[in-house]
């Protein structure tokens, strides 16, 4: 087991032969505030459980299990930091992004006892055959269909921004309404537009999930509001057009209210198709497990969308009771987890005996 310089936990189950290529299986180990127990970590534990079930049996490829760091983007606002390191995208700009306390990604890595100068050592070598990720669905679709498992065929794109509305602090009791430059009132007007736009554009979801106001007293008009914006849609064009429109609206509101507004784009991640061959193999493995195959698009982001830039990638979703995630009541059914392990073992056997699997990579 090793921890690479981006804080990813990585362990290798050896192949039958020493110089064999490797299959990557993983998910993330970080989570959100007041989280559930399964988003991310289930995929890592499930990979380890699958390897235990192999009971030492060697395959023609090695299996590297990866527990990714910083997928959610909670601390720095920028998600997928660990997986971006594997595809060579943890660059100087991302290392320079700071958290609420002004601590940069670079500094956080150092404080964790790792060396940011060694980030290049985290990059995938060209012996990776593919990437698989098990994850809870985090939505209601599979429960509604009464299905335990599904293959993910695409992951919706997402934009993440920070917006800062700046006004002027003044006394809440003495400043007439028409003389105010109230950053909270401006931000609130804009948040209403964010929700309205998402309700009007089919398939668009937009969220302001975090807001901070300064100076932060009930009798002082706020002079600064920082908030986050998260926008997703399966069409990149609709998503980016919506983001541009929301920025224009924020500027118009700010101008009318005597405020200024700045925006900082932390992520504009395009929608990503999963590898058709692997998706087809997952369908077959689900059938061998005794379940009905189903394909779906993921509205949530996953490390698989980053890995897909470099290696054929695919995901297996597990039903999420109540469709609840990012909340302590998030859960999974034990029977579904058992089915996912059985499905994963079928998948490993299918890939081990598939000439197609080796032919399509640069490892043949
Ligand atoms: C990951 O949880 C995401 O925000 O999509
Ligand atoms: Mn999550
Ligand atoms: Mn997740």
């Amino acid at each position: 087991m090793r921890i690479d310089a981006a804080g990813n936990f990585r362990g290798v189950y050896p192949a039958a032969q020493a110089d064999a290529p490797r299959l990557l299986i993983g998910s993330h180990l970080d989570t959100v505030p007041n989280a559930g127990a399964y988003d991310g970590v289930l995929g890592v534990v499930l990979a380890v459980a699958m390897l235990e079930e192999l009971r030492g049996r060697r395959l023609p490829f090695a299996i590297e299990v990866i527990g990714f760091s910083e997928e959610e983007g909670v601390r720095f606002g920028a998600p997928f930091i660990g997986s971006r390191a594997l595809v060579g995208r943890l660059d100087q700009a991302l290392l320079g992004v700071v958290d609420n306390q002004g601590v940069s990604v670079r500094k956080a890595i150092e404080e964790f006892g790792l060396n940011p100068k060694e980030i290049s050592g985290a990059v995938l070598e060209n012996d990776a055959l593919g990437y698989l990720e098990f994850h809870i669905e985090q939505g209601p679709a599979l429960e509604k269909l009464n299905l335990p498992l599904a293959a993910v065929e695409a992951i919706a794109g997402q934009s993440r921004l920070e917006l800062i509305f700046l006004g002027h602090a003044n006394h809440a009791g003495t400043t007439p309404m028409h003389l105010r430059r109230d950053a909270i009132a401006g931000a609130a007007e804009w948040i209403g537009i964010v929700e309205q736009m998402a309700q009007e554009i089919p398939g668009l979801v937009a969220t302001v999930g975090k807001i901070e106001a300064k100076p932060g007293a009930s009798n002082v008009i706020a002079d600064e509001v920082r908030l986050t914006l998260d926008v997703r849609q399966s069409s990149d064009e609709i998503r980016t057009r919506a983001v541009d429109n929301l920025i224009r609206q924020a500027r118009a509101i700010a101008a009318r209210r005597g405020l200024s507004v700045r925006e900082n784009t932390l992520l504009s991640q395009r929608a990503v198709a999963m590898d058709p061959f692997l998706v087809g193999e997952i369908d077959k493995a689900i059938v061998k497990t005794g379940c009905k195959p189903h394909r779906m698009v993921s509205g949530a982001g996953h490390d698989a969308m980053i890995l897909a830039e470099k290696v054929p990638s695919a995901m297996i979703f597990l039903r999420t009771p109540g469709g609840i995630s990012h909340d302590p009541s998030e859960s999974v059914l034990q029977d579904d987890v058992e089915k996912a392990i059985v499905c994963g073992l079928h998948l490993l056997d299918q890939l081990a005996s598939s000439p197609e699997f080796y032919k399509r990579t640069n490892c043949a």
Side-chain angles (χ1 to χ4, degrees):
M1 225 280 297
R2 70 173 175 124
I3 303 177
D4 69 25
N8 299 309
F9 281 52
R10 305 170 69 158
V12 178
Y13 180 87
Q17 285 179 358
D19 58 349
R22 71 185 69 194
L23 173 68
L24 314 170
I25 310 182
S27 194
H28 59 101
L29 293 173
D30 66 317
T31 191
V32 294
N34 203 30
Y38 301 97
D39 173 5
V41 73
L42 176 72
V44 183
V45 172
L46 215 144
V48 173
M50 269 166 57
L51 298 188
E52 277 176 6
E53 279 304 308
L54 286 177
R55 298 177 205 283
R57 180 161 65 90
R58 300 293 178 217
L59 299 174
F61 44 79
I63 297 174
E64 181 169 8
V65 176
I66 310 178
F68 287 106
S69 67
E70 285 296 320
E71 185 264 2
E72 300 279 6
V74 173
R75 177 168 176 186
F76 298 98
F80 309 122
I81 294 177
S83 47
R84 284 202 257 182
L86 266 74
V87 300
R89 280 213 282 138
L90 178 40
D91 52 17
Q92 294 304 318
L94 185 51
L95 284 168
V97 172
V98 292
D99 69 7
N100 278 350
Q101 312 301 318
V103 177
S104 65
V105 174
R106 182 184 291 103
K107 184 86 184 135
I109 287 172
E110 281 167 358
E111 284 175 353
F112 192 69
L114 298 167
N115 184 355
K117 295 200 176 80
E118 291 170 5
I119 292 285
S120 60
V123 175
L124 287 177
E125 297 183 18
N126 66 358
D127 67 346
L129 290 165
Y131 172 71
L132 296 175
E133 182 167 353
F134 291 83
H135 204 286
I136 53 170
E137 178 208 337
Q138 305 181 275
L142 290 179
E143 186 172 64
K144 219 163 160 193
L145 293 164
N146 197 22
L147 295 175
L149 303 173
V152 175
E153 54 186 352
I155 305 177
Q158 56 173 282
S159 296
R160 300 227 199 158
L161 291 88
E162 178 187 54
L163 273 85
I164 306 162
F165 287 83
L166 296 169
H168 208 288
N170 210 337
H171 197 291
T174 60
T175 315
M177 294 310 286
H178 71 285
L179 292 181
R180 294 176 180 221
R181 292 162 61 198
D182 184 337
I184 287 188
E189 182 182 342
W190 181 76
I191 292 168
I193 288 172
V194 171
E195 186 184 39
Q196 192 188 338
M197 185 183 292
Q199 281 164 345
E200 285 168 2
I201 300 176
L204 189 82
V205 286
T207 307
V208 174
K210 184 175 167 192
I211 176 162
E212 271 171 10
K214 281 186 186 163
S218 66
N219 59 349
V220 184
I221 296 161
D223 64 352
E224 180 180 314
V225 171
R226 281 172 185 263
L227 47 79
T228 59
L229 174 67
D230 179 310
V231 180
R232 310 189 190 198
Q233 225 279 356
S234 49
S235 152
D236 292 329
E237 199 196 323
I238 294 173
R239 171 179 53 86
T240 51
R241 215 181 315 128
V243 170
D244 291 347
N245 196 351
L246 286 171
I247 291 170
R248 269 199 305 279
Q249 303 255 22
R251 288 186 186 141
I253 289 168
R256 178 161 42 76
R257 289 174 170 271
L259 310 172
S260 63
V261 65
R262 286 203 314 262
E263 78 280 344
N264 184 13
T265 301
L266 292 160
L267 181 80
S268 179
Q269 171 64 49
R270 65 180 178 81
V272 175
M274 297 288 90
D275 180 73
F277 169 79
L278 287 176
V279 174
E281 292 302 309
I282 291 169
D283 283 343
K284 285 185 210 160
I286 290 176
V287 171
K288 280 191 192 146
T289 308
C291 306
K292 196 171 154 220
H294 179 69
R295 294 186 179 190
M296 59 185 296
V297 173
S298 172
H302 298 287
D303 294 304
M305 72 197 303
I306 304 299
L307 272 287
E309 291 171 21
K310 280 273 173 78
V311 291
S313 298
M315 293 188 72
I316 297 112
F317 269 176
L318 284 77
R319 156 169 56 193
T320 305
I324 306 224
S325 184
H326 284 183
D327 182 85
S329 59
E330 174 184 281
S331 64
V332 278
L333 302 175
Q334 190 177 328
D335 191 52
D336 291 357
V337 176
E338 284 172 27
K339 286 193 169 77
I341 293 171
V342 172
C343 173
L345 292 169
H346 284 307
L347 185 57
L348 291 183
D349 283 336
Q350 287 164 220
L351 298 179
S353 60
S354 166
E356 174 77 5
F357 183 48
Y358 297 93
K359 211 165 53 201
R360 294 163 48 263
T361 70
N362 54 4
C363 302

